[in-house]
Every structure is written in C-alpha cells, then in structure tokens.
Amino acid sequence: MATISDVAARAGVSRSTVSYVLNAANTTVRISDGTRQRVMEAVEELGFRRNELARAVTTGKSRMLGFWVMQSRAEPVARVLAGAMKEANDRGYFFKMLGMDEKRLDRSVIDHCQEWQLSGIIAIHPPHLALVDLYPRMREAGISLVVIDSQCPQKDTPYIASDHAEGMRQALEHLMELGHRRISCIAGRPDASDCISCERVAAYRSVMKAHGLGDHVSVDYGHWFVEEPGSSQSLCERAARKQLAGPSRPTGIVCVSDHTAMIVTRTAWEMGLRVPEDVSVTGFDNLGMAALCYPPLTTVAQSFEGMGALAVERLLNQIDAGRNSGPSVQERMPTRLVVRASTGPAPKRAE
Amino acid sequence: MATISDVAARAGVSRSTVSYVLNAANTTVRISDGTRQRVMEAVEELGFRRNELARAVTTGKSRMLGFWVMQSRAEPVARVLAGAMKEANDRGYFFKMLGMDEKRLDRSVIDHCQEWQLSGIIAIHPPHLALVDLYPRMREAGISLVVIDSQCPQKDTPYIASDHAEGMRQALEHLMELGHRRISCIAGRPDASDCISCERVAAYRSVMKAHGLGDHVSVDYGHWFVEEPGSSQSLCERAARKQLAGPSRPTGIVCVSDHTAMIVTRTAWEMGLRVPEDVSVTGFDNLGMAALCYPPLTTVAQSFEGMGALAVERLLNQIDAGRNSGPSVQERMPTRLVVRASTGPAPKRAE
DNA sequence: GTGAAAGCGCTAACAC
DNA sequence: GTGTTAGCGCTTTCAC
C-alpha cells in the first residue's frame, strides 16, 4: 500500500502538501491548482488510499460510532440499524458493532469506546439495570450516548422511542369508530422493568377512561416478544383464551406487539372465533409479517428506520457540542396506524 | 486519557516495558513479576486504556472485519450478524458495518477496506453483478471475503449457504410420508439471477421425479421476499389462487420461503380452504413468525446464526493463512425440518 | 529483564 | 503556497 510519502515523492512535493490537498475541505490552506493536479495524479497512479486509522490517531477522531444491542429483536434491530447507517454514512460516520445479544462484552462498553476512540454510541433497548450503571460512567468518560427504546430510562438520558401512548390511542380510537366498546388489552409480561409495554398499557387505560369505557378495561399479560417460541406462546395464549372465553368476551383486543397479536389471532381461530367478524385485533410494530398473516393485521407502525436516523442526528449533535452539551432530550417518534383486515365493525351482541 | 507514557512514568519504567506487560500474550519477552505488578498498578490507578487505533496503526492489523449487506431481509440479516459477532468477539475481532441497504457505498467497498485496514469482509446476499465485479478486485487487493447466500456466486468465491436442496427434500419427504402425492411448488420470482430460489425449485423437481411423481410437478412464481408488501403479495397470491383453483388442486404446496408460505396460507383461507385439512403448506427459513401464525408453519429451518459464525471462522482462517490461502471452498449448512401444524395427512379425494 | 531509539502513517503549527 | 518539524500513541528491534 502506497503511503502519503510515496505520493509526495512521486509528485515532487512534501508530505504536508499532499495532506493539504487531501484535506482541502477541512483546512484553510490553499494549494495552487498545478500542485494539486500533480498530487492527484500521483494519488491516481499509485492507487493511494489514505490510512484512516493513522488519520484517526493523529486527529483523535475516529468517526466511528458504536451500535450496542442487547436482547435482539431481530427485525426492529435490523431496521433501526439500517436507518442509523444511512444517516451516519451520509455524514461520514460508520458503525462498529458492540454487543448484539451478548449479555455483556468481555471488556465493558466504556473500555471499548475508549480503546477505539468511539465518538459515541447508540444503545438499543438496553435493560434498565445495564443503563443505570452505565450512563453516569459514560457521561463521566465523555462518551456520548443515545438510547433507543429502553426500559425505564432515567430522565436525563438522551432517549428516543415511539410515542407509545399516541400509538395506542390511534388503535383504540380506530376500534371505537368501528363501534367497539368492550375492548381489552393483552400486554407484555407484568415484569415491572418492562416500561415499553407499561406505557402502552397505561395509555390503554387512560384512553378507555377518557371515552367513558373505564368499566370495560381488562388487561392480561403474555410475553412481550418471543425469542424461543415454545414457552412464550403459552402465556399469551392463556391470556387470550381467558379473555375470549364466555359470551361477555371483548369485541376488540388491542395488543402491545405484533407478536402478541398474532398469537391472539391464532388463539381466536383455534377457539372457533373469526377475526374480525367476532373479534377485532390490533398489533403494534408493523413488522413484515403483519402484512402477510391472515387476516392481515391492523397495527400501529413504528418508524424503526426513523428512530435510527434521528438517533444518529442527536448523537452527532451531542458530539459536536462537546462534552458540555446542552440538556439532553427525550424524544418521541410519531406512530402511524396501518389499517388492514384484522379489524372490522363491532358485532352486535346482547350484553 | 492517560497514555502509555503516563503509565511508564508512574511505574518508573520505560514505555516499552509497559508495552511488553500489556502484550504479555503476544511476545516472548518476559517481565519480572515486580515490574509487572508496578505497571499494572499504575494502569489501574490512572484508569489507563490502550489506544487500539494507534496500536492498529503500528501493527498494521485492525482486528476489524467488515459486514457488507445489500438488500436487507431484516430478520435473516440480523441473525447472521448476531452469529457472526458472537464468533468474532470470542476471537477478539469486531465488525464495522458497510452497506446495509445502500445500493452502493459512496466510496467503493475496496477503498473502504483499504482505508480502514479491514482484514476481510463478510458479504451477505450481494447481487450477482456486484460480486462479479468485486471479487477479483478484492482478491487482487489482498482482502479476504466470505459470501453468504448470494445469487449465483462464481465457483471460486468462498461461499456459505444453506443446503437448499436437502431442505427442500426434507419438506417434500415429510409431505410424502403424510400421503401427499400431488404436491406443487411456489417459487421466487422467475428472475434468472435468483439462484437461491432456483436451487430449491430444482430440488423440488428432482425429488418429485425420484419418487415417481414427475407428473405432478407444478411450479408457479410469486415474489421471493417482500420489502413493500403491497404489490409483492399479489404475485404470490395469484400463483396460489391459480394452483388452488379446481378440484384437481394439489394437496400439498412447498414454498420457497416463509413469506411465500404465509401468503399461500392466507390465500387458501380466503378461498375457503382449510390448512392443513384441505391443503398442507410448508415454508422455508423458519423466521420468528412461522411459530406465531395460524396454523403454525411447518418449515425448513436455516441456521442463520450458524452461517454467520462459520463465515467468521472461514474468514479468519483465510486471513491467518495470508493472501495466498488455499483453494476457497463453498460450504453448505445443514437444514432442519420443523414440523408444526400447517401440514397434515393428505385428504382422500377423487383424482 | 529492561531501556533507547526508530518507526507506523498521518496531521498541523510554524516558518519562509 | 509550500516545506520543515514536531507530534499523535503505540510497537518492536537492538543493545546492554
């Protein structure tokens, strides 16, 4: 590999001159057109590629960001990452992958950031405990952080998530417009740390109350998302069976995730109930499968790609602002209701 | 950030001594326990973290691998990445993300590898054209490459994919054991470049023939996988409707992907056919949704994580072997049939 | 066993 | 405008 010295020699100039023409954008130094020509030609002829590693050492900026993922939910993670990468690449940054289903890295994330001079990291749904421990230390170490979709983030942690409450409201009001009044909810596991689900459930309760349907509020708990399908389903299924049994069953069920909604739908079929004729079901996420299943799922779409892109924007702002950046913000991405075929008019039933 | 010099000063030794104790594993030089003690204490007290960037510059090895993804199919990509990362981390390597849905990087992949001293890259389903162009140049540049699941890889490209033929055989023989004889196939788009689908279809044909069912061979084409559900479904759906119409319809349908199978199943429901009572359906992939839909999908599981891990192993072997590595291999990962509820005994019907 | 010194490839303050 | 020089943080050869 040709180095900058080789280029300098070939062009008959000094190394710094070469560096200047290479960094034309970042420097005030002006190089004459003739020299620049010769340098560029030499670069071309030698197939020279600048060593970004060395560059990062001298400048102290690696232009690498970390992407830290715990508990991978495959599709959302991939989509957030895709959105983040697109935005980062546009700005000349790249991602180094950290974590990904690892309970923890062998050396801590902070060590890793320091060793690799990472400017900052995006952490996607880190568990509460990991975050409580980590964030103050990162702050102290001067490493920027933006969290996506964590469980119970502390109030001062820069944080991006969907507007769960708004999403839930969209789903509920959609059902209400279709005439549903008896609407129940199937939520994530009742685990206190699971705030994403909690937020949605809280919204369910308050929207129901606001529409004078407080008496119909009914929440049961399944699993939040599924890694190993086996056991997880049964919890959700049990919740669904419980709610769907008997004549006073709900006419609509809002679920806190597409996974949950799929299981609820399946359970309904298995119980001889038709969706949406007998019971309408809504999901939350709008994963790929939502469009494919039968009936195609009415669900609240999250903009995973959008969250990724926004996270990068916030992260880079933070980095540019230096370590004494302004007060960190928590932001909510708008959700969008996607109406498909799993919801329909409320059946007329004796109550 | 403390540097190695700070540590040296504090421990009262030279910088090289510090470097030696830090690299105890890689060097033959032995340091006395006393000195090592003092150095380690200094490291501790100063909270010293070695600058891996600088280290990479001097050694010329970045211990970073590239993960290049085109045309993201979210879940498979995420799972391959997870498997690859686990393996890489165990060996002290990390991934820098390249591509991800970008049609191409602004600077070419090769430039990027050279600039960042990447030891090698994993490319997941790169399009045929990209690969044809790229591989020889990478070879020339001395950058190792392992391809996962490409369309039509050249024979000399190190390549890992599922044993599609074996997987298709598993699905077919499962149906045959259940008494099915009239088994049709729904494949990816008839696009010539789509060899993954082609391999499965070819296997379908040959297994059918081998069992004396050549007369029942029937292939129709939908979309291979779905990014934007809207239009894609209709193709698959049309194929399914065509096959399922009339009394001489197949009793079993093998699909080349879970996506396809979901659509076929849905179409069957919509046509008033029951799955599996009237028609059995198999998928291919075993994505998360396969366990959640109704009925839960019998499908051929691919070990995405396994492919990722194996790719890393092969890549690192290649890297260790130097640029004149042995003949590159193409490997097949075993598949595993997961029997769920979308398949059942063939219905007795007048033929 | 330890240190001095040269080097990795690049940037940037300073001179001319 | 361009070159000289020092420096980024680390590794590694070579003496002692």
Side-chain angles (χ1 to χ4, degrees), chain A residues 227-277:
Chain A
E227 277 313 310
E228 266 318 303
S231 65
S232 324
Q233 285 174 246
S234 48
L235 250 193
C236 244
E237 207 175 307
R238 190 153 47 193
R241 281 191 189 280
K242 180 186 153 211
Q243 293 195 349
L244 289 173
S248 67
R249 63 170 183 269
T251 65
I253 301 185
V254 287
C255 301
V256 294
S257 72
D258 284 353
H259 273 148
T260 316
M262 294 275 290
I263 296 173
V264 169
T265 302
R266 176 159 56 75
T267 306
W269 287 128
E270 287 169 356
M271 294 174 73
L273 297 170
R274 292 159 306 163
V275 177
E277 290 81 356

Side-chain angles (χ1 to χ4, degrees), chain A residues 164-176 181 183 199-214 217 254:
Chain A
H164 303 301
E166 170 63 8
M168 185 50 93
R169 193 187 59 70
Q170 292 166 336
L172 277 169
E173 294 190 343
H174 165 65
L175 287 178
M176 290 171 184
R181 310 198 71 235
I183 303 169
E199 278 188 33
R200 293 179 195 168
V201 173
Y204 160 74
R205 292 185 197 280
S206 83
V207 173
M208 286 293 278
K209 291 219 181 73
H211 285 74
L213 300 176
V217 164
V254 287

